[in-house]
Amino acid sequence: MMEYNFARILALIKKEFITIWKDPKSRGIIVVLPLMQLFIFANAITMEVKNIDVAVLDRSGTYESRELLSRFENSPRFRNFYYVENEDKLKSVIDNQKVQMGLYINNDLSKNIKREKSADIFVILDGRQTNSASIASGYASQIINDYNNEISNVKPQLNPSVRNWYNPNLEYRWYFLTVIIATLSLVITLLLTALSIAREREMGTFDQLVVSPLNSFEILLGKIIPPLVIALGLTIIMTLIIALFFKVPFSGSIFLFFVSIFISLLSITGVGLFISSICKTQQQAVLGVITFQMPAILLSGFISPIEDMPKFLQYLTLLNPIRFFMLLVRGIYLKGMNFNDVFLNLVPLVLIAAFTLTMASKTFKKSLN
């Protein structure tokens, strides 16, 4: 029966921490880079549509039309308003992409409101920008419906009721920042584990590990623990920054949150060690990380819903730890996901972790031999 010397494992773990921290590049990667990316991504990257320029053709020119237009002008979603005199001018500014949206108000708006008849407000959108047009349409419809509900003597035939759970004001930053936790943790864990064995080979110290009293399991354990500790520490820091600095409310269980992160990072560690064990240089390891990282993020549901992907890709995402990692982080942080839901998403992560670590162990043993 194989016996493990924990003193030797602790010595290797200490050596890994010292090696990582003594390298200025490694310090920059594990401390400065993720925090810098967190602040940059939070403020610079968004899929929201803001600063929409609008052309207005107000044929009514009444109190009611001015009240409606004031709702648009006071909305943070819209920026510049161009009041035009006729349909040709309205068409021209949209054609030239000077504005993204046009509002056309008929001259019978006030009369129809007073008579409790339906009044049409035409919202014209630039269909060349499909995503922006769809989102801007939603903004305009919401403003018009809100104004309609404020007028007590109007009884609309259709009265849509919209409720947004878990993010009532549709703050895109809430969604994006919680996903960034998973993304940056993924990057750091992959890089540190992928570079660990490749760095030993490049520095010429890998042979010393081979002839040392440490067996393959002890070496593997010594390579796994430091990246996990560092990634967990950074995750705690990023979570505190998001909660305290960006004011994103934490709704779930802190215990379940960090258990989920630990198991997720464990599955990613196996991928990183597998990459590291088959690479001879750190440059090859970085390329291996990029090769895995981009498809994994694309197939996680972050950029586009998994339900919209082709069937074979939907099945492929079941093998992607990032899919479950992001789902758990977002679900626990914003929704307060309960234990049963967390458990159902942890099961595939545990299976993926067992598989990736087993593959990394077998590949590592071959490289030792």
Side-chain angles (χ1 to χ4, degrees):
M1 183 176 177
M2 186 178 291
E3 295 183 359
Y4 305 120
N5 189 314
F6 290 101
R8 293 200 300 257
I9 297 173
L10 288 174
L12 180 58
I13 292 172
K14 181 180 178 181
K15 174 252 183 190
E16 284 293 308
F17 276 116
I18 293 173
T19 302
I20 292 170
W21 193 250
K22 282 180 67 177
D23 183 6
K25 293 181 181 178
S26 295
R27 289 202 301 269
I29 288 173
I30 65 176
V31 178
V32 180
L33 186 61
L35 297 181
M36 181 181 69
Q37 288 177 329
L38 175 64
F39 281 99
I40 291 174
F41 291 163
N43 293 285
I45 297 180
T46 177
M47 290 183 184
E48 281 186 302
V49 178
K50 292 184 177 181
N51 301 321
I52 303 169
D53 294 331
V54 184
V56 179
L57 178 56
D58 183 7
R59 292 290 192 188
S60 177
T62 58
Y63 170 80
E64 288 80 3
S65 66
R66 289 193 295 270
E67 277 295 299
L68 174 60
L69 292 173
S70 70
R71 304 303 196 275
F72 281 90
E73 292 171 348
N74 292 323
S75 170
R77 310 292 184 183
F78 301 92
R79 183 174 56 182
N80 298 320
F81 288 80
Y82 301 90
Y83 287 82
V84 297
E85 302 79 25
N86 51 57
E87 289 86 352
D88 290 337
K89 185 63 175 177
L90 180 65
K91 181 178 182 297
S92 174
V93 292
I94 295 176
D95 284 346
N96 296 328
Q97 295 187 328
K98 188 176 182 180
V99 300
Q100 292 82 47
M101 188 176 82
L103 287 175
Y104 183 95
I105 302 175
N106 271 324
N107 55 11
D108 59 354
L109 174 70
S110 179
K111 181 173 64 177
N112 286 338
I113 288 176
K114 291 174 182 177
R115 293 181 178 179
E116 298 187 4
K117 292 182 178 181
S118 62
D120 294 326
I121 307 295
F122 296 97
V123 179
I124 305 162
L125 296 156
D126 186 355
R128 290 167 290 189
Q129 302 176 33
T130 53
N131 182 61
S132 300
S134 176
I135 296 173
S137 173
Y139 295 159
S141 298
Q142 186 64 51
I143 291 173
I144 294 170
N145 288 335
D146 289 345
Y147 177 66
N148 197 24
N149 293 333
E150 290 177 19
I151 305 173
S152 59
N153 63 338
V154 175
K155 300 175 182 177
Q157 292 179 328
L158 297 175
N159 185 25
S161 179
V162 180
R163 295 291 183 270
N164 302 298
W165 288 10
Y166 315 129
N167 189 356
N169 297 319
L170 294 179
E171 291 283 348
Y172 182 77
R173 179 177 285 185
W174 289 18
Y175 163 77
F176 187 77
L177 286 176
T178 51
V179 171
I180 278 294
I181 294 177
T183 305
L184 294 181
S185 299
L186 158 71
V187 172
I188 296 305
T189 307
L190 268 180
L191 274 176
L192 289 178
T193 50
L195 292 176
S196 60
I197 300 172
R199 182 174 57 243
E200 299 277 5
R201 285 198 177 99
E202 201 168 281
M203 295 174 63
T205 56
F206 186 75
D207 291 338
Q208 296 177 19
L209 275 180
V210 175
V211 299
S212 68
L214 293 161
N215 57 49
S216 60
F217 176 80
E218 291 171 342
I219 296 174
L220 202 62
L221 200 60
K223 295 291 184 182
I224 289 174
I225 292 176
L228 273 178
V229 172
I230 293 170
L232 280 171
L234 282 170
T235 302
I236 292 171
I237 293 171
M238 288 189 291
T239 304
L240 290 174
I241 289 173
I242 290 171
L244 300 177
F245 186 83
F246 294 105
K247 308 296 183 183
V248 181
F250 187 92
S251 303
S253 164
I254 295 176
F255 174 75
L256 288 177
F257 184 73
F258 286 106
V259 167
S260 301
I261 287 175
F262 175 79
I263 295 175
S264 301
L265 294 179
L266 199 61
S267 65
I268 296 166
T269 300
V271 177
L273 284 176
F274 175 77
I275 293 171
S276 188
S277 62
I278 62 176
C279 295
K280 295 183 178 180
T281 65
Q282 295 185 73
Q283 185 178 16
Q284 291 176 353
V286 171
L287 290 173
V289 167
I290 295 172
T291 302
F292 169 80
Q293 180 181 305
M294 288 306 297
I297 292 175
L298 290 172
L299 293 174
S300 67
F302 170 41
I303 296 175
S304 60
I306 293 174
E307 293 77 13
D308 293 342
M309 298 178 186
K311 278 292 182 183
F312 76 95
L313 287 180
Q314 291 185 34
Y315 292 128
L316 189 61
T317 62
L318 297 174
L319 304 176
N320 182 13
I322 315 305
R323 168 187 175 170
F324 302 101
F325 190 7
M326 289 188 177
L327 193 153
L328 285 166
V329 170
R330 189 168 61 244
I332 296 173
Y333 200 113
L334 295 178
K335 180 183 175 182
M337 188 182 285
N338 59 40
F339 175 80
N340 291 335
D341 291 336
V342 171
F343 178 77
L344 289 175
N345 286 283
L346 281 179
V347 170
L349 272 176
V350 170
L351 295 175
I352 293 171
F355 176 77
T356 56
L357 289 171
T358 300
M359 289 297 298
S361 176
K362 289 182 177 180
T363 310
F364 183 67
K365 286 179 181 179
K366 288 181 180 178
S367 65
L368 283 179
N369 297 328

